[in-house]
Amino acid sequence: METKVRCKTMAYFPENIAKRLSIDETSLSNGELYTIVTNKACKGREGTIVAMVAGTKAETVFVILEKTPLKLRNSITEITLDMSANMGIIAKKYFSNAVRVMHRFHVKKLALEALQEIRIKK
């Protein structure tokens, strides 16, 4: 299945889909935000990028993820994401069978902020 969809705002590589994925937003330049879906097994090497979409709105990401057959989306067992509402909506709608795991960075950050707040109050 060598379907590649590209334009100015997105890239899609369904052949890189695996059982464990990550979805996150990043700023590549000049504050432009992108949503990136990656294959965790590739660890940043060739075959890592599944999808790259300009923007972080769930509706924008839906356009590209809808190209993935339901059977393939249902085969995904785990999706790692941050705590943003948009990433949660995307994961729930398109990877509904996958266990959703919050990225440890975001959990640590939340815990440290809570501890700092308690420390300041004392």
Side-chain angles (χ1 to χ4, degrees):
M1 185 164 90
E2 185 73 25
T3 307
K4 292 184 182 178
V5 176
R6 289 184 189 207
C7 69
K8 183 178 179 186
T9 59
M10 60 184 90
Y12 177 58
F13 305 97
E15 66 273 16
N16 294 344
I17 293 176
K19 298 233 179 258
R20 297 176 62 232
L21 300 177
S22 292
I23 185 168
D24 205 353
E25 57 206 27
T26 190
S27 176
L28 298 179
S29 65
N30 299 324
E32 296 174 359
L33 290 175
Y34 291 84
T35 299
I36 302 175
V37 180
T38 56
N39 175 340
K40 292 179 77 164
C42 291
K43 300 183 189 265
R45 296 185 306 269
E46 185 176 339
T48 296
I49 295 177
V50 173
M52 188 169 175
V53 182
T56 59
K57 291 183 179 178
E59 297 79 21
T60 306
V61 179
F62 290 170
V63 171
I64 199 157
L65 293 180
E66 285 174 348
K67 297 178 184 311
T68 307
L70 182 61
K71 185 175 180 177
L72 185 55
R73 283 189 271 136
N74 285 340
S75 73
I76 297 163
T77 59
E78 178 184 309
I79 183 89
T80 301
L81 59 148
D82 64 18
M83 294 180 167
S84 79
N86 283 344
M87 297 303 125
I89 291 167
I90 295 164
K92 187 174 183 179
K93 181 168 181 168
Y94 285 96
F95 308 110
S96 57
N97 289 346
V99 172
R100 290 183 292 279
V101 178
M102 294 302 153
H103 192 278
R104 68 177 177 245
F105 168 80
H106 300 283
V107 174
K108 285 180 187 178
K109 182 179 176 203
L110 190 62
L112 289 173
E113 287 171 356
L115 286 171
Q116 180 71 355
E117 191 174 312
I118 291 169
R119 187 187 69 76
I120 291 170
K121 285 182 181 178
K122 288 189 176 194

